[in-house]
Amino acid sequence: MDQRLEDAFVELQLDTEDIVLETASMLKKRYNATMRRVLEVISLWWLHNDISNLTEAQTHMPELMAELDTIIDPGYEEIVTEMTELFAEVYAFNLCYAQTVLEIEEEEDHDSALLLFTALGLASIPWVEDGLTYEERMIIRSQQLKNNIKQIVLRGATLGYGTKRIIKMVQDEIQSAVRVRAQVLVDEANHFANEGVKYISDDKFEGYEISEVLDAKTCKFCASMHGLRFTWDKYDVGVSAPSFHPRCRGRIIPVGKNLNTHNI
């Protein structure tokens, strides 16, 4: 492959990661603020109702869950909105960057509203094995978080734990939820980046080459896929195109016409 082209797409990947990291940092701050409110509500609920056993916890649980609904659900909805905007930005950035690097001439410039509409369309199409969109997975995560908090509180009441211990257990659960949310963010951003490149090039180049980051974190499968080329009709995310697994960093580089890379 032309070294200039390869270097350009490596730079594209790094620039995309910067965009994602900036948004991830902002979302983490917002998420942490929401979760601090959750911890405050649980602590006040526990003390106000003088929870000392399972029966008391079960009696007052509906009011706690109702209050958590008003905090966690809107918090996740805001995160999903921000994620959607990020993915649209990643999609458009990769599309336009690839268009410039590949010297693809379009009759008209890409309208930002149209790019957003296209990205939203992609967001509604599941591409992972669970058959869910990222929004659906985030909703499920919010429900799981609330249910796990409920079980932690009931378990703590059953075993006679104090408020501090309960709060620490809930904090650990929240941190686990943060890691899952971060994984969804990275996975989806990489998917939208590849889709942006594919959109601008799949009718102008014969196929694509898989480009993986080769370091100590790279799994054996991804290392084996690095450098392989496929025609666009073989494009199948998870099989012949990245992402191949959670936190996969694989990207695609168009190859074929006028690139002296026709052995696909």
Side-chain angles (χ1 to χ4, degrees):
M1 174 175 292
D2 182 277
Q3 189 61 48
R4 178 195 66 83
L5 184 65
E6 187 172 355
D7 291 343
F9 273 86
V10 168
E11 182 177 346
L12 171 60
Q13 183 171 16
L14 294 175
D15 289 345
T16 301
E17 288 176 356
D18 287 341
I19 294 173
V20 175
L21 288 174
E22 182 179 350
T23 301
S25 178
M26 177 192 67
L27 290 179
K28 184 176 181 180
K29 291 179 181 179
R30 180 173 298 176
Y31 186 85
N32 286 341
T34 299
M35 292 305 113
R36 282 196 296 271
R37 178 60 182 150
V38 167
L39 295 175
E40 291 172 1
V41 167
I42 294 173
S43 182
L44 290 173
W45 170 84
W46 188 280
L47 295 173
H48 176 73
N49 293 293
D50 193 23
I51 304 297
S52 60
N53 56 60
L54 178 60
T55 300
E56 291 174 351
Q58 290 175 326
T59 299
H60 297 284
M61 183 58 66
E63 61 190 65
L64 172 62
M65 297 311 296
E67 191 159 2
L68 291 183
D69 282 344
T70 66
I71 300 173
I72 295 178
D73 290 350
Y76 267 81
E77 288 172 2
E78 289 182 2
I79 289 175
V80 168
T81 298
E82 294 289 348
M83 287 173 67
T84 301
E85 293 177 359
L86 166 66
F87 299 149
E89 180 182 358
V90 166
Y91 177 83
F93 177 71
N94 278 261
L95 187 158
C96 294
Y97 185 103
Q99 178 181 354
T100 300
V101 171
L102 298 170
E103 300 178 350
I104 296 174
E105 295 185 4
E106 295 284 280
E107 294 182 0
E108 298 180 0
D109 292 333
H110 295 286
D111 181 78
S112 58
L114 179 59
L115 288 174
L116 175 59
F117 179 79
T118 304
L120 289 174
L122 280 173
S124 67
I125 303 174
W127 61 274
V128 291
E129 290 184 1
D130 61 13
L132 301 174
T133 65
Y134 71 87
E135 182 174 358
E136 291 169 335
R137 275 182 277 149
M138 291 296 287
I139 292 174
I140 289 174
R141 298 301 181 192
S142 70
Q143 297 300 321
Q144 288 177 335
L145 177 60
K146 288 185 292 185
N147 183 63
N148 290 345
I149 289 175
K150 177 181 178 180
Q151 296 306 316
I152 288 171
V153 172
L154 291 176
R155 178 167 174 261
T158 301
L159 298 175
Y161 292 164
T163 311
K164 290 184 178 180
R165 187 166 182 178
I166 293 290
I167 293 300
K168 176 61 171 64
M169 292 168 67
V170 174
Q171 283 179 321
D172 291 343
E173 180 62 33
I174 288 173
Q175 288 306 310
S176 177
V178 169
R179 288 191 291 271
V180 171
R181 180 193 54 76
Q183 179 176 306
V184 172
L185 182 69
V186 172
D187 293 346
E188 292 289 341
N190 198 55
H191 172 64
F192 274 84
N194 282 326
E195 288 295 328
V197 174
K198 179 178 182 294
Y199 177 84
I200 193 64
S201 56
D202 66 357
D203 62 342
K204 300 173 180 65
F205 293 86
E206 294 176 16
Y208 61 95
E209 179 175 311
I210 297 175
S211 176
E212 293 282 354
V213 179
L214 300 179
D215 57 22
K217 297 179 181 178
T218 309
C219 72
K220 290 183 179 180
F221 179 79
C222 286
S224 70
M225 296 297 288
H226 178 71
L228 294 187
R229 296 177 177 181
F230 299 89
T231 50
W232 290 115
D233 62 307
K234 297 295 191 298
Y235 190 89
D236 187 2
V237 177
V239 178
S240 59
S243 295
F244 295 113
H245 56 77
R247 292 192 176 279
C248 181
R249 295 172 292 169
R251 300 295 302 276
I252 61 170
I253 301 177
V255 293
K257 296 177 182 177
N258 66 42
L259 288 177
N260 194 29
T261 52
H262 53 273
N263 296 320
I264 302 176

